[in-house]
Amino acid sequence: EIVLTQSPGTLSLSPGERATLSCRASQSVSSGYLAWYQQKPGQAPRLLIYGASSRATGIPDRFSGSGSGAAFTLTISRLEPEDFALYYCQQYSSSPYTFGQGTKLEIK
Amino acid sequence: QLHLQESGPGLVKASETLSLTCTVSGDSISSSSYYWGWIRQPPGKGLEWIGSIYSGGSTSHHPSLKSRVTISVDTSKNQFSLTLRSLTAADTAVYYCARPVDQWLAGGFDYWGQGTLVTVSS
């Protein structure tokens, strides 16, 4: 089983700042099958990035994904108030298709 | 527009069996090549992939649940279902059904149901 470790656990930033979230895998995620989700309280997760770097439909271009192998990054170039939420990564290259434990992005 | 909707009991007793159904509208399960998935989230905790099913019936499950889980599809009703046996309090969670963005892959879920809270009582 591929274990995904997200860091930091909590990230405190202000609107307008740049956010960098990390997702590290216990082994290589082949073909870049790595997704990022945003989740707000009481809501289902929302797909942001798939295939490590492809933005999902309707996702603003301030969200970008990068990385390969076992190290991946989600970058939010300029934080908007609505971006403060929980973020999860998921690998879907090897069953079981595991999620990271999440990073909470909070307003500083 | 694709829409997924979970249905099933909100409260079940420990040791009993949970049955949830996901009704899909806006796409035909039988004519698409997607792996339709079940994911759950215990209150205040992270996401856990439970398993996925292809329209042709092939399935994959999380090994920690494999002996208790059955995922099936009813193409005539455009639904897929989750059965989870021998419930414990640890199975209390919001259960989501979802569809991936890419065909032939079992992750990168871009369409989700609203989720249904299942509480297991002792």
Side-chain angles (χ1 to χ4, degrees), chain A residues 2 4 23-34 52 66-72 91 93:
Chain A
I2 297 178
L4 298 180
C23 177
R24 292 191 177 273
S26 59
Q27 55 189 276
S28 182
V29 176
S30 61
S31 303
Y33 289 147
L34 192 287
S66 62
S68 63
F72 298 88
Q91 66 80 22
S93 72

Side-chain angles (χ1 to χ4, degrees), chain A residues 37 39 43 47 88 90 92 97, chain B residues 41 49 96 106-110:
Chain A
Y37 302 88
Q39 188 178 34
Q43 297 183 14
L47 180 67
Y88 294 96
Q90 181 206 15
Y92 50 103
Y97 305 115
Chain B
Q41 185 171 37
W49 174 78
Y96 296 100
F109 296 104
D110 63 340

Side-chain angles (χ1 to χ4, degrees), chain A residues 2-88:
Chain A
I2 297 178
V3 176
L4 298 180
T5 301
Q6 293 187 239
S7 60
T10 301
L11 185 57
S12 299
L13 294 170
S14 300
E17 290 192 295
R18 180 185 186 91
T20 302
L21 287 67
S22 173
C23 177
R24 292 191 177 273
S26 59
Q27 55 189 276
S28 182
V29 176
S30 61
S31 303
Y33 289 147
L34 192 287
W36 289 94
Y37 302 88
Q38 177 193 70
Q39 188 178 34
K40 296 181 179 179
Q43 297 183 14
R46 174 193 182 196
L47 180 67
L48 301 174
I49 301 289
Y50 65 97
S53 60
S54 298
R55 263 188 306 276
T57 302
I59 301 303
D61 60 7
R62 64 180 182 273
F63 291 91
S64 63
S66 62
S68 63
F72 298 88
T73 300
L74 174 70
T75 302
I76 311 172
S77 60
R78 188 175 174 85
L79 286 166
E80 297 287 342
E82 62 268 26
D83 298 338
F84 293 92
L86 268 169
Y87 291 83
Y88 294 96

Side-chain angles (χ1 to χ4, degrees), chain B residues 22-82:
Chain B
C22 182
T23 300
V24 177
S25 57
D27 189 16
S28 169
I29 290 179
S30 61
S31 61
S32 62
S33 301
Y34 290 98
Y35 278 92
W36 304 84
W38 287 100
I39 301 99
R40 69 179 181 178
Q41 185 171 37
K45 296 187 178 181
L47 299 162
E48 179 182 37
W49 174 78
I50 298 171
S52 296
I53 186 165
Y54 181 66
S55 59
S58 63
T59 60
S60 59
H61 308 98
H62 199 294
S64 68
L65 299 171
K66 189 170 184 178
S67 63
R68 299 195 292 130
V69 166
T70 300
I71 298 176
S72 59
V73 63
D74 186 338
T75 55
S76 68
K77 295 182 179 179
N78 219 35
Q79 296 174 333
F80 61 104
S81 298
L82 170 69

